[in-house]
Amino acid sequence: DSGVTQTPKHLITATGQRVTLRCSPRSGDLSVYWYQQSLDQGLQFLIHYYNGEERAKGNILERFSAQQFPDLHSELNLSSLELGDSALYFCASSVGVTGTYNEQFFGPGTRLTVL
Amino acid sequence: AQKITQTQPGMFVQEKEAVTLDCTYDTSDQSYGLFWYKQPSSGEMIFLIYQGSYDEQNATEGRYSLNFQKARKSANLVISASQLGDSAMYFCAMREGQGTGFQKLVFGTGTRLLVSP
């Protein structure tokens, strides 16, 4: 158990809908990262938050947004869902953002299926 | 941009034998970190081992060791005495954004390891 929690574990929804994925980082970790794992794109970085502030964006669609709250949990919002959004969405956390060794601990993932 | 290449889509090994999973990387950064993660069929990502670019010794964690050859830009994972539970997908990753105020991991495409009795 990495200490990172994600809910829900599975999510099945229809095209055009909106969903929210939730992540609680390990106690003491200030950084939260979101990754998407799909069959055709592999594992791709979406976005990084540090202590409530967005630090970096990767291949995140405009239909997707995220935020990190004062209690450090994070939510990833996916809207106008398409079939191609079906994927495993991981949240990871780390202690900080700089330094030579900031291992990222991954949550169990949320498997999103868009029908 | 950084890039990770894993050229072995699948590897087979017999129980108790050693296996090497290949990883090469491309970066212009002087300071970087390399990671290996294991993803069993259940889906979670399990951290295995880390190698910093300035580390002089190869990293080891139990049965896992990282064969780091900086000049060749390779960071191969060696699993000794394979076990049936080692059957999984293995990802090599590099940390991008060292010391810049942001970080992300860039992943390779993975190698599926199958351990047979």
Side-chain angles (χ1 to χ4, degrees), chain A residues 33 35 37 43 45 48 55-56 88 90 97 99-104 106, chain B residues 35 37 39 43-45 47 50 91 95 98-99 101-105 107:
Chain A
Y33 313 80
Y35 293 87
Q37 185 178 30
L43 262 161
F45 166 76
H48 169 206
R55 285 301 181 99
L88 187 54
F90 285 108
V97 68
T100 57
Y101 180 29
N102 266 313
E103 176 192 338
Q104 293 185 18
F106 280 73
Chain B
F35 300 79
Y37 284 86
Q39 187 177 38
E44 72 267 32
M45 295 288 285
F47 165 76
Y50 167 83
F91 290 95
R95 183 183 54 234
Q98 176 69 33
F102 75 92
Q103 287 197 13
K104 71 177 189 183
L105 291 178
F107 285 87

Side-chain angles (χ1 to χ4, degrees), chain B residues 18-33:
Chain B
V19 62
T20 297
L21 306 184
D22 294 341
C23 172
T24 57
Y25 60 91
D26 187 23
T27 181
S28 55
D29 291 346
Q30 294 301 307
S31 178
Y32 51 88

Side-chain angles (χ1 to χ4, degrees), chain B residues 8 11-22 62-65 67 76-84 86 90 113-116:
Chain B
Q8 306 156 315
M11 289 286 285
F12 295 90
V13 67
Q14 275 203 306
E15 210 176 357
K16 297 178 187 173
E17 290 185 351
V19 62
T20 297
L21 306 184
D22 294 341
R63 295 185 299 110
Y64 304 108
S65 60
N67 184 0
N76 298 338
L77 176 70
V78 181
I79 305 175
S80 62
S82 298
Q83 301 172 356
L84 295 179
D86 293 334
Y90 290 80
L113 176 66
L114 186 59
V115 181
S116 60

Side-chain angles (χ1 to χ4, degrees), chain B residues 39-104:
Chain B
Q39 187 177 38
S41 56
S42 50
E44 72 267 32
M45 295 288 285
I46 302 167
F47 165 76
L48 295 178
I49 196 165
Y50 167 83
Q51 180 83 42
S53 57
Y54 292 119
D55 294 341
E56 294 185 355
Q57 304 277 342
N58 284 344
T60 60
E61 288 285 348
R63 295 185 299 110
Y64 304 108
S65 60
L66 201 151
N67 184 0
F68 182 46
Q69 298 188 43
K70 199 169 180 177
R72 299 174 102 178
K73 293 191 174 180
S74 75
N76 298 338
L77 176 70
V78 181
I79 305 175
S80 62
S82 298
Q83 301 172 356
L84 295 179
D86 293 334
S87 293
M89 196 76 169
Y90 290 80
F91 290 95
C92 180
M94 171 180 280
R95 183 183 54 234
E96 182 175 319
Q98 176 69 33
T100 60
F102 75 92
Q103 287 197 13
K104 71 177 189 183

Side-chain angles (χ1 to χ4, degrees), chain A residues 31-78:
Chain A
S31 270
V32 169
Y33 313 80
W34 286 97
Y35 293 87
Q36 179 196 57
Q37 185 178 30
S38 62
L39 284 174
D40 53 344
Q41 299 287 332
L43 262 161
Q44 298 228 324
F45 166 76
L46 294 178
I47 199 163
H48 169 206
Y49 275 86
Y50 174 73
N51 203 19
E53 186 182 311
E54 180 186 305
R55 285 301 181 99
K57 269 186 174 178
N59 298 323
I60 187 166
L61 300 170
E62 283 191 16
R63 301 183 284 108
F64 295 2
S65 65
Q67 53 183 327
Q68 186 180 26
F69 294 87
D71 67 351
L72 300 177
H73 91 271
S74 178
E75 293 180 356
L76 179 67
N77 300 296
L78 317 176

